[in-house]
Amino acid sequence: MSQVWYSVLVGLVAVERLVELVVARRNLAWSLARGGRETGFGHYPFMVVLHTGLLAGCLVEVWAADRPFTPVLGWPALALVVASQALRWWCIRTLGRQWNTRVVVVPGLPRVTGGPYRVFPHPNYVAVVVEGFALPLVHGAWLTAVAFTLLNAGLLAVRIRAEDEALRSAHA
């Protein structure tokens, strides 16, 4: 895979993220109109910067450091990127209007326990973790993979705690 094709892949992931933001804004408006309350918003700007940095880091590292595509690593990593996208959209589809990039709970709605949520409580974050190390490794951007993974671990600790608390409060 050439650097150009890798850049196209990263661009496609960026477009997918923009589509997510459109869906999230629509769902946020729907939730707020039904009395939804946002919590844990302090970490959101850091999350936006981190996820934007992932995409930028992939491109900068591959082009500036002239990282090679290594098929034995690149093709499995690409398969993981595709799988993480599939899991992410399964989560979005399962949560429907309740899915958001923010922590918003609408009072009176039942907790979603179907789809991937019947297997584990935070499947979307599994998709984020997998994508965060796999996307850079498709083209050997190992510094980006390590940096994102470490920073994202700290972010997810805060994010999951905020989300769990919001869900506990809403369903207590």
Side-chain angles (χ1 to χ4, degrees):
M1 177 179 289
S2 72
Q3 292 171 325
V4 171
W5 283 112
Y6 180 68
S7 297
V8 169
L9 172 65
V10 173
L12 289 171
V13 172
V15 168
E16 186 277 333
R17 292 290 177 88
L18 292 173
V19 170
E20 280 183 28
L21 289 175
V22 169
V23 171
R25 284 186 185 196
R26 186 181 63 223
N27 290 349
L28 177 62
W30 181 90
S31 295
L32 294 176
R34 285 155 184 77
R37 294 179 38 144
E38 182 180 359
T39 59
F41 44 82
H43 67 270
Y44 191 76
F46 179 74
M47 186 172 77
V48 170
V49 169
L50 181 61
H51 283 253
T52 303
L54 168 66
L55 300 175
C58 286
L59 295 175
V60 169
E61 184 175 353
V62 165
W63 284 93
D66 197 28
R67 297 284 191 230
F69 175 75
T70 307
V72 71
L73 177 62
W75 293 120
L78 180 60
L80 288 172
V81 169
V82 171
S84 68
Q85 296 302 322
L87 177 57
R88 173 178 287 117
W89 282 97
W90 187 19
C91 293
I92 292 169
R93 187 163 172 79
T94 299
L95 288 175
R97 293 281 194 175
Q98 294 184 66
W99 181 83
N100 209 301
T101 57
R102 297 179 177 269
V103 179
V104 180
V105 177
V106 178
L109 291 180
R111 186 169 184 166
V112 175
T113 57
Y117 295 88
R118 73 175 168 262
V119 180
F120 41 95
H122 298 285
N124 189 63
Y125 301 138
V126 172
V128 170
V129 167
V130 171
E131 180 190 64
F133 73 81
L135 182 61
L137 293 180
V138 167
H139 215 290
W142 63 271
L143 289 173
T144 301
V146 169
F148 179 83
T149 298
L150 293 174
L151 292 169
N152 191 50
L155 172 63
L156 284 179
V158 171
R159 174 79 175 194
I160 289 171
R161 193 174 22 237
E163 197 169 288
D164 285 346
E165 179 56 35
L167 288 169
R168 261 192 306 280
S169 296
H171 298 104

